[in-house]
């Protein structure tokens, strides 16, 4: 039996596949940059159900492991990966469009009945399940399409497109939702037309769907044969077993707390940042939609710069970069906190710049530490566990911020500057606590105990960050 030729992913094909995550970044902005602001700030709904629905995609992410294993074990209509990817992205397209119709229905002055909320919940469930089914299988397709020497480059390009998606979405969606004269809808006064809002979601869904389909068209050959099982697809074990393994080591226990706390508090701003600008400073939706453009472009720049600096200067270890990144995020929340409490609008732009800078540096350092804290003989177990920690605690931060906002509104009698400002202060304190946990992590001591991490794991860690 002749050996299969080694896959070869050219730069042109890599760039084409990268367009997939250009659409992914745009999809993230639709839910956590536009819909949350419209629902909380413009339509006046409680932040708790909105943030819980947004965080569904994080809590349902473990279903991606199931979809990934199914794609390993067999084909559907002759495709291992594309069936799950296109099924998932079709669900996301339908969810996004449905979300636009239901939100515009409310914006026209109609009552948000139980049936309407059920429709919104189904739309977000479709979006979240689709994200889970297609995320891991997309990364598996990249693995299949590239040789071992190409995987680091392949994932790096796709990851860059994800960041570009945030920036691109801020610009294009901002132009699709222009500021208009005050529009009266029922008892509400809006700065946009409900029809324009609906068109934004529908056009966005069609555009993202087109990107997802085109980017992967022809990237997997249809197979008629059975897929042989591998040791990886037959691997058994529970998350609790992985947890016990990680928890048995002092260094990994503290790294767990650093990763969990930094993820939870860094991304607590996801559901409240745009509503904060709308509620406290009366910024219109067209303006806040462009927030992703500010911090996204800064994140790209800081990521590239500090990847280069980290290679050029060995003293800039992943641990040092993690400190610097979290420190920048602490400064960000201090700026947002002062901006809210003292109602200084000019600080918002400065905060967006430091947010992007901090996220970029923190990504470089923390992803590198995930690699370093994964011993080579158990890399799959540890990397899988760290990825699950990132996903779950990001979801807890997203949902927790919405709940905290409603609690603070009740305690302060709807004092919006104090409510938002207090949350930003709490997030800053939480990030400081994560740095205290980081101080207890000694990477060299851990590697001396467990063995040196293989350099090939870099691609796996970057891949985990994509979703």
């Amino acid at each position: 039996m002749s050996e299969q030729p080694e896959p070869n992913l050219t730069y042109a094909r890599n760039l084409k596949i990268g367009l997939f995550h250009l659409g992914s970044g745009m999809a993230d902005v639709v839910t956590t940059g536009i819909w949350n602001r419209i629902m909380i700030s413009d339509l006046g709904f409680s932040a708790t159900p909105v943030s819980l629905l947004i965080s569904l995609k994080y809590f349902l992410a473990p279903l991606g492991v199931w979809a990934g294993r199914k794609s390993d074990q067999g084909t559907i209509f002759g495709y291992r990966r594309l069936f799950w990817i296109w099924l998932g992205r079709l669900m996301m397209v339908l969810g996004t469009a449905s979300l636009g119709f239901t939100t515009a229905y409310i914006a026209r002055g109609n009552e948000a009945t139980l049936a309407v909320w059920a429709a919104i919940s189904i739309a977000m469930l479709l979006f979240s399940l689709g994200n889970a089914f297609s995320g891991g299988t997309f990364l598996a397709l990249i693995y299949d399409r590239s040789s071992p020497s190409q995987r680091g480059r392949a994932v790096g390009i796709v990851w860059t497109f994800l960041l570009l998606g945030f920036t691109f979405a801020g610009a294009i969606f901002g132009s699709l939702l222009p500021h208009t004269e005050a529009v009266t809808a029922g008892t509400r006064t809006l700065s946009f037309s409900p029809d324009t809002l609906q068109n934004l979601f529908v056009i966005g869904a069609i555009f993202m769907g087109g990107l997802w389909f085109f980017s992967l068209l022809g990237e997997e050959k249809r197979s008629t044969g059975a897929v042989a099982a591998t040791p990886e697809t037959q691997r058994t074990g529970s998350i609790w077993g992985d947890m016990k393994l990680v928890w048995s080591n002092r260094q990994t226990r503290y790294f767990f707390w650093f990763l969990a706390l930094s993820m939870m508090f860094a991304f607590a701003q996801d559901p409240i940042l745009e509503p904060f600008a709308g509620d406290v400073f009366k910024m219109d939706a067209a303006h806040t939609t462009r927030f992703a453009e500010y911090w996204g472009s800064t994140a790209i720049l800081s990521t590239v710069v500090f990847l280069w600096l980290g290679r050029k200067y060995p003293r800039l270890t992943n641990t040092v970069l993690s400190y610097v990144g979290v420190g920048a995020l602490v400064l960000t929340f201090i700026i947002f906190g002062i901006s809210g409490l003292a109602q200084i609008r000019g600080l918002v732009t400065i905060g967006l710049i430091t947010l992007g800078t901090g996220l970029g540096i923190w990504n470089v350092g923390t992803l590198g530490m995930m690699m370093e804290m994964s011993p080579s003989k158990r890399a799959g177990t540890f990397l899988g566990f760290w990825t699950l920690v990132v996903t779950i605690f990001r979801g807890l931060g997203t949902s927790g911020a919405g709940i905290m906002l409603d609690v603070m509104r009740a305690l302060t009698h709807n004092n919006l500057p104090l409510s938002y400002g207090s949350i930003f202060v709490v997030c800053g304190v939480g990030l400081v606590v994560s740095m205290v946990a980081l101080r207890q992590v000694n990477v060299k001591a851990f590697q001396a105990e467990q063995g040196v991490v293989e350099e090939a794991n870099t691609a796996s860690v970057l891949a985990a960050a994509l979703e």
Side-chain angles (χ1 to χ4, degrees):
M1 182 177 178
S2 59
E3 293 186 1
Q4 293 290 330
E6 186 176 79
N8 178 39
L9 183 63
T10 65
Y11 276 98
R13 286 281 185 175
N14 202 162
L15 291 171
K16 175 175 171 286
I17 291 175
L19 292 174
F20 183 89
H21 264 328
L22 185 70
S24 298
M26 295 176 66
D28 196 60
V29 171
V30 166
T31 53
T32 60
I34 300 175
W35 183 71
N36 62 316
R37 181 250 147 82
I38 299 297
M39 292 293 287
I40 297 172
S41 182
D42 294 284
L43 300 181
F45 288 104
S46 170
T48 298
V50 174
S51 61
L52 286 172
L53 287 172
I54 289 174
S55 61
L56 263 182
K57 66 178 179 180
Y58 303 118
F59 295 131
L60 294 179
L63 289 175
V65 177
W66 173 80
R69 287 192 176 186
K70 295 294 286 185
S71 76
D72 283 338
Q73 294 168 350
T75 64
I76 299 179
F77 301 121
Y79 295 104
R80 296 176 66 195
R81 315 298 187 190
L82 280 185
F83 171 81
W84 293 100
I85 298 172
W86 279 343
L87 171 64
R89 295 295 147 152
L90 176 61
M91 294 169 73
M92 291 177 70
V93 167
L94 294 175
T96 301
S98 300
L99 197 62
F101 285 118
T102 51
T103 307
Y105 176 82
I106 299 173
R108 293 188 180 99
N110 297 298
E111 183 182 354
T113 61
L114 184 60
V116 173
W117 272 106
I120 289 175
S121 300
I122 292 172
M124 289 301 289
L125 182 62
L126 273 174
F127 183 93
S128 302
L129 283 173
N131 187 71
F133 289 163
S134 56
T137 45
F138 169 68
L139 297 176
L141 179 63
I142 294 179
Y143 184 94
D144 295 342
R145 288 286 287 109
S146 57
S147 66
S149 63
Q150 294 172 334
R151 284 171 192 152
R153 179 255 288 173
V155 170
I157 289 176
V158 171
W159 182 58
T160 301
F161 269 98
L162 180 67
L163 293 176
L164 284 172
F166 297 132
T167 304
F168 183 67
I172 192 170
F173 289 147
S175 65
L176 288 173
L177 192 67
H179 175 74
T180 61
E181 296 298 324
V183 176
T184 302
T187 59
R188 306 179 184 96
T189 300
L190 309 175
S191 63
F192 55 87
S193 162
D195 289 339
T196 303
L197 175 66
Q198 178 176 293
N199 291 340
L200 182 152
F201 278 79
V202 173
I203 293 172
I206 294 172
F207 184 77
M208 292 183 299
L211 278 177
W212 291 327
F213 181 77
F214 169 75
S215 66
L216 300 186
L217 185 62
E219 296 303 330
E220 183 181 25
K221 292 182 178 179
R222 190 171 183 272
S223 172
T224 56
V227 178
T230 66
E232 288 78 11
T233 64
Q234 296 175 328
R235 186 178 75 87
T236 60
S238 67
I239 184 60
W240 299 114
D242 292 352
M243 178 74 176
K244 286 177 64 177
L245 180 63
V246 173
W247 209 254
S248 64
N249 184 280
R250 181 179 183 275
Q251 305 295 336
T252 51
R253 283 198 301 272
Y254 278 109
F255 182 66
F256 164 85
W257 285 116
F258 164 69
L259 198 60
L261 292 173
S262 61
M263 282 289 164
M264 184 166 64
F265 288 108
F267 288 102
Q269 47 76 29
D270 256 5
I272 66 169
L273 184 57
E274 287 82 5
F276 157 67
D279 285 342
V280 176
F281 298 110
K282 307 304 177 188
M283 293 186 190
D284 58 76
H287 193 167
T288 61
T289 298
R290 289 189 166 90
F291 278 7
E293 185 179 355
Y294 287 99
W295 66 258
S297 56
T298 311
I300 295 172
L301 179 61
S302 62
T303 297
V304 172
V305 169
F306 279 87
L307 275 173
W308 177 78
L309 289 175
R311 290 191 176 189
K312 187 173 180 63
Y313 301 102
R315 290 186 179 182
L316 285 178
T317 63
N318 291 316
T319 303
V320 171
L321 291 176
S322 295
Y323 275 119
V324 175
V326 175
L329 292 174
V330 171
L331 176 61
T332 296
F333 285 113
I334 291 174
I335 292 171
F336 283 146
I338 294 174
S339 174
L341 294 171
Q343 299 184 53
I344 305 174
R345 176 170 174 163
L347 289 178
V348 175
T349 302
I350 297 174
L352 291 172
I353 293 172
T354 58
L355 174 64
T357 302
L359 288 175
I361 303 171
W362 174 59
N363 254 334
V364 173
T366 302
L367 292 175
M369 287 195 72
M370 285 170 63
M371 177 184 67
E372 293 172 335
M373 298 301 290
S374 300
S376 55
K377 292 182 180 180
R378 294 182 179 269
T381 295
F382 276 74
L383 288 170
F385 180 75
W386 297 139
T387 302
L388 190 61
V389 170
V390 166
T391 303
I392 296 299
F393 280 88
R394 183 169 177 176
L396 288 174
T398 300
S399 57
I403 296 170
M404 194 185 308
L405 177 58
D406 286 338
V407 170
M408 289 304 302
R409 278 176 165 176
L411 292 176
T412 63
H413 303 288
N414 207 35
N415 184 324
L416 294 175
L418 181 58
S419 297
Y420 283 104
S422 299
I423 295 173
F424 290 133
V425 171
V426 169
C427 291
V429 172
L431 286 170
V432 171
V433 175
S434 77
M435 294 173 74
V436 174
L438 181 59
R439 283 181 59 85
Q440 305 300 316
V441 180
N442 188 322
V443 173
K444 289 185 177 180
F446 174 78
Q447 291 184 342
E449 294 173 8
Q450 304 292 330
V452 179
V453 179
E454 295 176 356
E455 188 174 349
N457 286 340
T458 304
S460 301
V461 180
L462 284 173
L466 289 172
E467 291 301 319

